[in-house]
Amino acid sequence: MLTSFNAAELKLAVNNIERPFMRPFMFVMPEMLAECVLITRPVNELHAILLAKLNQLAEMMNRTEWDAECQTYWQEFGLPANCQIVMLTEAVRVQAQCISARALRHDGPDAAGDERQLRSMKKLFIMNADADLLKKPGGIAFAAQTFARALNAEDFDFITTEVKFPSTTTTMAQLLAAYLMSSAPGKDASQLRKVCDTFNAHIGPLFDQVNRNARRDVNRGRDREDQARTATVLELTRFLRLIRNESLLSLLITYFGYLFNRYLLAKKRPHLRMTLPLGEIFGHESELSHVNILAVQELLEIFFRNALLVNPTHPQWLRSAADFRYGRGLLSEAGILYMEYLVASRTPLLVAPQENFVEDLIWRRLRICLSKSHWFTLAALVCQNIEHKREEEYIKAMEFLYSQLSLDAGADYSCMVFDNTLAELLSDVYERNHMQPSADLLFSYAYRSCMNPEGRDVLAREQSRRCQRLLRTLAAQLFDAHF
């Protein structure tokens, strides 16, 4: 029963059950089909199992077997012809799910097939709306899938003119469509600003979390409001997790990152704020204490996961994802993402230190991430790329290097020291820790002729070479791979 999809085998297994049957919890049924099929009481367990099997095939993205078994199952259900629209809707939903998964796998695109499938979804959406089926269980999910497919294909007209179904998902879809239209090249910037203000006015209140320090009778009403707000957030989450359009992903990361930053400001932790891909399009960040931060963080995790599946080398997404992990205290993940950002942006790995335009904040945070992983020598070496207040970071790195057990081999990294101040500080640490061989090796690299030449161009080339070697070694260490 757990592994078979054959209707005859499943029917025989159900008939052979002698004791009361308890359906496995993993047997989840498609909501719209279940509403149509399971109309008898008590529930026909065979029909419930067949529905669960259809859902399993859909989750497995096995469209071929889904089509084959669907016909057999439908005959077993013995439903009237007026239920055909529900089955057709489910078939199109499964097809859309497979197309969405294919997009994340970066398989070869089928533009003609995708367009036909989108037309089918839009037609079925209108048919379901006319038949008032979208208000039934599963209807909102189909609407969300239709809206997401249209938005991913940048089909603005369908969302803005043809959709009349009132729901929170519809409102969000129309706001996203308005953003796509207003952000197109040649559009007035004031129009984009107006769309962003409207977006914040509609979506922001959904993520409010009320203060519980109030009278009990007031809290009863707030409990009902919280339940409604939670249901709305769940509905939005099911819709937004389907977004694959790069512009919309940047918008969503920016907006929910904006809420995340405002929460950090309210908690007096402004130094942990994340960089937003689209900047301050939602205005200046102010304190926002009563926000459902768990929902905001969950959505950001979803957006980053989808975004980096769509484009794993997008520098702005990598930077924002690294800042987000850093702000949450996930320093190991943040360090890897910062390094991925540096590799994706390419500039730091290819140019000399004086031509490096990576802001100091990244190097400071990377130092902290490396120190958290007990890579204290690498943390000290990274400080060489800091432009302002470099000595302060050196001192912090030296404190760890002197007092803690380092997990990286300091002496082997002497060839990557290109700043004399760091060389002096490291030599002091080696002498205090009675590491004379390491100190001797450091001196041999620090006082080579290429580091003390008569011409400045020779020194610049050597510093650039050592910097590049440091960054490549750092990438190899963090990625656990060698270039």
Side-chain angles (χ1 to χ4, degrees):
M1 185 179 294
L2 294 176
T3 58
S4 176
F5 293 96
N6 184 276
E9 293 178 358
L10 292 170
K11 187 174 183 178
L12 181 62
V14 171
N15 291 335
N16 289 336
I17 296 176
E18 297 179 356
R19 60 184 182 277
F21 176 68
M22 180 67 69
R23 199 181 316 131
F25 73 92
M26 67 181 71
F27 280 17
V28 180
M29 295 174 288
E31 291 181 311
M32 289 189 76
L33 280 181
E35 181 77 10
C36 179
V37 173
L38 302 180
I39 55 178
T40 61
R41 292 295 180 272
V43 170
N44 187 318
E45 290 297 340
L46 174 61
H47 291 177
I49 290 172
L50 294 179
L51 287 174
K53 289 296 179 178
L54 281 179
N55 192 67
Q56 285 181 357
L57 290 171
E59 294 295 329
M60 294 163 59
M61 309 296 173
N62 191 340
R63 178 73 197 287
T64 303
E65 191 167 354
W66 191 96
D67 288 339
E69 299 297 345
C70 183
Q71 299 299 324
T72 307
Y73 293 178
W74 194 254
Q75 293 175 4
E76 182 65 37
F77 296 149
L79 296 176
N82 59 5
C83 291
Q84 291 288 344
I85 185 174
V86 178
M87 179 57 76
L88 187 58
T89 301
E90 182 66 16
V92 172
R93 187 190 71 81
V94 172
Q95 185 183 40
Q97 190 171 322
C98 294
I99 290 176
S100 180
R102 187 189 68 198
L104 291 181
R105 292 195 305 266
H106 299 280
D107 292 346
D110 181 8
D114 291 353
E115 186 176 351
R116 286 195 303 271
Q117 197 272 339
L118 179 56
R119 284 201 302 268
S120 299
M121 288 194 78
K122 293 192 292 186
K123 185 176 180 180
L124 273 171
F125 173 85
I126 294 172
M127 292 170 63
N128 278 284
D130 293 341
D132 210 24
L133 294 176
L134 293 178
K135 296 179 181 178
K136 293 186 176 182
I140 292 291
F142 177 70
Q145 205 165 19
T146 305
F147 296 158
R149 285 281 291 115
L151 288 169
N152 292 337
E154 299 191 357
D155 188 346
F156 315 132
D157 293 338
F158 172 73
I159 300 292
T160 56
T161 61
E162 298 184 42
V163 174
K164 307 298 182 184
F165 175 61
S167 70
T168 304
T169 301
T170 304
T171 302
M172 173 60 90
Q174 290 173 341
L175 288 170
L176 294 178
Y179 169 77
L180 286 175
M181 290 187 290
S182 63
S183 62
K187 293 291 184 178
D188 188 3
S190 62
Q191 185 66 25
L192 176 61
R193 181 64 189 172
K194 187 183 299 183
V195 169
C196 291
D197 290 342
T198 305
F199 188 98
N200 189 29
H202 280 82
I203 305 305
L206 299 178
F207 292 88
D208 286 344
Q209 189 160 313
V210 296
N211 186 3
R212 288 295 177 186
N213 297 325
R215 299 196 319 269
R216 182 177 298 178
D217 57 337
V218 176
N219 278 337
R220 289 197 192 99
R222 287 178 174 173
D223 285 340
R224 289 190 291 271
E225 292 177 7
D226 282 354
Q227 291 173 2
R229 190 180 290 112
T230 300
T232 302
V233 169
L234 289 174
E235 179 185 331
L236 279 180
T237 302
R238 295 190 187 101
F239 166 52
L240 294 177
R241 69 169 63 247
L242 302 173
I243 298 298
R244 304 287 184 266
N245 182 280
E246 290 199 18
S247 297
L248 293 182
L249 284 170
S250 291
L251 172 72
L252 293 170
I253 291 171
T254 299
Y255 179 69
F256 287 95
Y258 165 76
L259 295 182
F260 180 72
N261 286 349
R262 294 180 65 188
Y263 172 80
L264 291 177
L265 287 173
K267 295 298 180 181
K268 309 304 179 186
R269 291 182 288 174
H271 58 286
L272 298 179
R273 287 182 299 169
M274 60 180 279
T275 303
L276 305 179
L278 301 179
E280 296 186 351
I281 62 171
F282 291 100
H284 179 69
E285 295 171 354
S286 57
E287 293 185 5
L288 182 64
S289 56
H290 302 306
V291 61
N292 187 351
I293 191 61
L294 294 179
V296 170
Q297 290 176 347
E298 181 182 358
L299 282 168
L300 280 171
E301 290 285 1
I302 292 171
F303 299 147
F304 281 126
R305 181 169 62 251
N306 288 342
L308 295 178
L309 283 172
V310 170
N311 185 354
T313 60
H314 195 297
Q316 292 174 322
W317 290 347
L318 288 168
R319 170 66 191 279
S320 296
D323 288 344
F324 176 58
R325 298 298 196 287
Y326 186 89
R328 296 185 62 192
L330 305 174
L331 299 186
S332 296
E333 296 179 28
I336 294 172
L337 285 166
Y338 279 127
M339 198 66 228
E340 288 183 350
Y341 162 73
L342 294 175
V343 173
S345 59
R346 300 305 300 169
T347 303
L349 296 181
L350 299 178
V351 302
Q354 60 268 26
E355 299 171 1
N356 192 343
F357 296 107
V358 177
E359 60 182 293
D360 287 349
L361 180 62
I362 292 179
W363 302 119
R364 289 193 174 93
R365 289 186 172 182
L366 195 53
R367 179 195 69 76
I368 294 172
C369 294
L370 292 169
S371 297
K372 184 69 174 179
S373 299
H374 287 239
W375 292 331
F376 300 122
T377 309
L378 279 174
L381 294 174
V382 161
C383 297
Q384 297 175 105
N385 293 309
I386 297 175
E387 291 292 329
H388 306 288
K389 299 182 179 180
R390 184 187 307 166
E391 287 71 18
E392 294 180 7
E393 298 299 319
Y394 279 157
I395 297 302
K396 296 174 184 177
M398 291 305 110
E399 290 175 357
F400 280 112
L401 200 57
Y402 177 70
S403 61
Q404 303 289 333
L405 177 63
S406 178
L407 295 183
D408 49 12
D412 294 339
Y413 292 149
S414 298
C415 58
M416 304 173 202
V417 177
F418 54 85
D419 183 73
N420 289 333
T421 303
L422 177 61
E424 294 174 2
L425 292 171
L426 282 174
S427 65
D428 290 342
V429 169
Y430 291 154
E431 290 177 2
R432 290 167 65 185
N433 287 344
H434 307 290
M435 301 167 62
Q436 193 58 43
S438 297
D440 294 341
L441 186 60
L442 177 63
F443 280 128
S444 69
Y445 279 102
Y447 290 103
R448 288 189 176 183
S449 58
C450 56
M451 289 297 293
N452 300 274
E454 295 182 0
R456 289 183 174 272
D457 55 336
V458 177
L459 175 61
R461 282 197 299 270
E462 179 62 17
Q463 287 178 329
S464 177
R465 188 185 69 81
R466 293 192 181 193
C467 178
Q468 291 177 33
R469 186 171 184 178
L470 165 62
L471 291 169
R472 288 188 169 92
T473 302
L474 180 59
Q477 182 74 49
L478 288 174
F479 301 155
D480 196 23
H482 295 281
F483 292 172

